[in-house]
Amino acid sequence: MADGVGRLPGVGPKRAQDFAKLGVESIQDLVTLWPRRHVDRTVLTPIWQLRPGVHATVRARVEAAEMRFPGPRRSYLKVRVADGTGTLEVTFFHAAWLKRQLVPGADVVLSGRVEAFRNRLSMTHPEVEVLETGQAPRLGLIPVYPLAGDLKQRFVQELAERVVPRWAAQMADPLPEMLKKQEDLPERAWAILHQHFPVNADELERSRRRLVFDEFLRMSLAVLWLHRTEPGVEAPALDTANRLVSRFLDGLPFQLTTGQAGAWEEIRRDLSDHRPMARLLQGDVGSGKTMLAALTMVSAVGSGYQAALMAPTELLAEQHFLLFERLLSPFGVTVLFVTGRGRDRAALKSRLASDEPLVAIGTQALVSEGVEFGRLGAVVVDEQHRFGVRQRAQLGAKGLFPHMLVMTATPIPRTLALTLYGDLQVSQIRGLPPGRQPIATHHVPMKDRRDAYLKVMESVRQGRQAYVICPLVEESEESQGRAATLLAEGMQKIPGWRVGLIHGRMSAKDKSIVMEAFRDGEIDVLVGTTILEVGVDVPNATVIVIEGADRFGLAQLHQLRGRVGRGQHASECFLLADPSTPEGEARLKAMVETQDGLKLAEHDLEIRGPGEVLGVRQHGVAGFQLANPLKDLALLEHAREVARAILTEDPELAHDVHQGLRTWVFEALEAALPGHVLH
Ligand code: ADP
Ligand code: MG
């Protein structure tokens, strides 16, 4: 690549690889690698002037540093620093690696909240920068960048300082001058530069407003553009009262709840129309969304069409496959499991491409990997918030406009839904099936961990089953899997326990063997990773233990807890943790206090922001990098109006002043839909 980051002095192949993990390949990517936040280091305070409760920055010298081990697997680093006016005690948890840098004599800059303990001033986990000999501390609003691999904060900061100012000036500004004036927006180059290096908070905010507006405007234009091409397309009008539907309903061991019945009425109205349905079905964990997926698909098959169900993970797809096979094959409905591999793939593909009515279940691979459907009438998407405009457009590009139902346990505000999915209708399942008991949720400090497991033992003795979720280690499924393996090995030694293990790195076949053994009651305790997070449904499992619970997001904890409380037996959830951050503590408290997914989502927003709420950690929401669609809602709505006005005035973006926008929007569409030329 001509503008690859590898071209920059100081960036060799290893660092280029680390940058690639952050999504940074070109120099332009680096220029828009936004700081996660800024540390306010506008003034240095001498230690004698520090007051408890305030945030301050101190320059000092390390006098002593010592690792302490108060318990098994617990350690912290205790450091004493002094600046000639006083001394300060500093504590870092889990920070053995810092010990090498914080040696006596090292010059450091520390930023954090000042605390007082037994009359001594202290800081816990401050920002720390170790100065090299003769190096001056940096002051001002210091950008803090996301890191990967061996990249060091200081290195990225200095690289950004060298690169951003020159390259920002060369980046295109797609907005027409008139629009900038009308919206009081600064130039894009200015905004980019000041996102990295603002002089004060006002500049940072003004820069952010411009960049967020850009993200929203681009997204809105792209969505509206796609929809512009859709009028005239038709979905099959399905017969939702066909014989298959009524036989299916009659065969169910229960009645639909009022909430399910209400949502079904709304869905059927859409399905029986030629306008392709685009409906978001929201319902808390355990509310019975799968039943509506079934009804939608049965309507299609009973009307002579195909239906597809997509799940976020292969594990869940397989669970759905087994369930639907059980539910539907008694009525002679063909249910196929479509994975990315497998020997019979060719045969499978030709069946899908025929006009045989059937149900196909798989992951997103169902639409993206060269799979053709002969007669697709309905698509159901389970728990996949990132599925939206893009996948609809992928289907559209194949000339398919089926009815589409997107199911989620996470409440999404309507405006956001509109922006992510286009013209989406929303249905809600209110309430849970009858007989559900609240899940008794306990926060258990690590010293009482044994007690939690004694409770598990008791339930197992009574014939119930349990999940044990391993802590997130470095946010990676791989290391979480290793932790799970260790934990399972330990538990297998407990007499009378049949322990199973499941994690993402196991083969699909092994995963499903374990899952089925658990479902059949041949395993008492299933130790696993977050791949158990969504959808898994084993009503006899009544206990879930979540290790290191403070490390999980609230939406995730709620989903995990939702794996129990799915049957008639009382269920319990044990959150094991000694939270090391106020956020972690707040999440545990929220979990103990409420079971209501909606309330938890609101909490989550307060505590963590929307990436977490939407279950798309780290990736940004729907391609947004700076924008926070929930918090910036007003700006989002406004950008959508601006986009609408632009396209009303110039539907083809053909005007000279719109050429920048046109290229920009087409780049976004091309990135979302590679290989499809859209006009
Ligand atoms: P979710 O909304 O989390 O996807 P599921 O569809 O998996 O929930 O349903 C959870 C459990 O509730 C399943 O075991 C399912 O069989 C059961 N269930 C669904 N609908 C009803 C109902 N109307 N009455 C009783 N149980 C139901
Ligand atoms: Mg579900």
Side-chain angles (χ1 to χ4, degrees), residues 254-257 260 284-290 433 436 537 566:
F254 45 66
Q255 296 250 296
L256 294 187
T257 64
Q260 283 170 321
D284 206 347
V285 185
S287 61
K289 294 185 288 294
T290 315
R436 294 289 171 78
D537 183 44
R566 307 192 136 239

Side-chain angles (χ1 to χ4, degrees), residues 217-227 389 643 647 665 668-669:
L217 183 72
R218 191 179 196 187
M219 170 70 146
S220 302
L221 282 170
V223 169
L224 292 171
W225 181 275
L226 278 175
H227 277 262
V389 171
L647 286 176
V665 168
L669 289 171

Side-chain angles (χ1 to χ4, degrees), residues 366-412:
L366 259 184
V367 286
S368 45
E369 282 168 23
V371 179
E372 302 290 331
F373 285 90
R375 215 170 140 76
L376 189 59
V379 171
V380 180
V381 183
D382 192 20
E383 302 287 1
Q384 180 58 284
H385 313 109
R386 296 228 285 162
F387 190 100
V389 171
R390 171 176 172 175
Q391 284 75 6
R392 268 183 87 188
Q394 272 172 347
L395 286 167
K398 294 183 187 173
L400 292 169
F401 300 94
H403 296 291
M404 181 144 131
L405 183 68
V406 179
M407 309 197 296
T408 172
T410 309
I412 303 175

Side-chain angles (χ1 to χ4, degrees), residues 207-385:
S207 136
R208 185 174 180 282
R209 188 166 163 273
R210 164 71 210 254
L211 298 171
V212 168
F213 182 85
D214 284 6
E215 289 185 7
F216 285 151
L217 183 72
R218 191 179 196 187
M219 170 70 146
S220 302
L221 282 170
V223 169
L224 292 171
W225 181 275
L226 278 175
H227 277 262
R228 188 205 62 133
T229 63
E230 274 190 32
V233 303
E234 291 206 339
L238 303 178
D239 175 8
T240 60
N242 65 53
R243 238 172 68 76
L244 192 59
V245 174
S246 42
R247 282 170 63 210
F248 173 76
L249 278 172
D250 289 344
L252 285 179
F254 45 66
Q255 296 250 296
L256 294 187
T257 64
T258 324
Q260 283 170 321
W264 176 229
E265 277 312 309
E266 293 174 356
I267 294 168
R268 334 175 32 168
R269 218 179 308 134
D270 288 0
L271 293 178
S272 43
D273 199 280
H274 274 297
R275 234 178 89 92
M277 171 172 83
R279 195 169 273 281
L280 179 70
L281 177 65
Q282 299 187 343
D284 206 347
V285 185
S287 61
K289 294 185 288 294
T290 315
M291 219 22 78
L292 291 154
L295 284 167
T296 301
M297 297 201 289
V298 166
S299 298
V301 174
S303 309
Y305 288 89
Q306 299 169 328
L309 172 67
M310 272 173 270
T313 63
E314 196 155 315
L315 181 73
L316 185 52
E318 175 144 15
Q319 295 301 302
H320 277 322
F321 167 66
L322 295 168
L323 173 70
F324 280 96
E325 195 169 48
R326 230 171 19 236
L327 282 177
L328 302 182
S329 53
F331 303 107
V333 176
T334 305
V335 183
L336 300 178
F337 186 45
V338 184
T339 55
R341 20 169 216 285
R343 273 175 290 125
D344 310 328
R345 201 166 147 78
L348 205 63
K349 276 169 72 173
S350 75
R351 284 186 84 173
L352 297 175
S354 76
D355 57 8
E356 178 188 351
L358 48 77
V359 166
I361 297 181
T363 59
Q364 274 197 29
L366 259 184
V367 286
S368 45
E369 282 168 23
V371 179
E372 302 290 331
F373 285 90
R375 215 170 140 76
L376 189 59
V379 171
V380 180
V381 183
D382 192 20
E383 302 287 1
Q384 180 58 284
H385 313 109

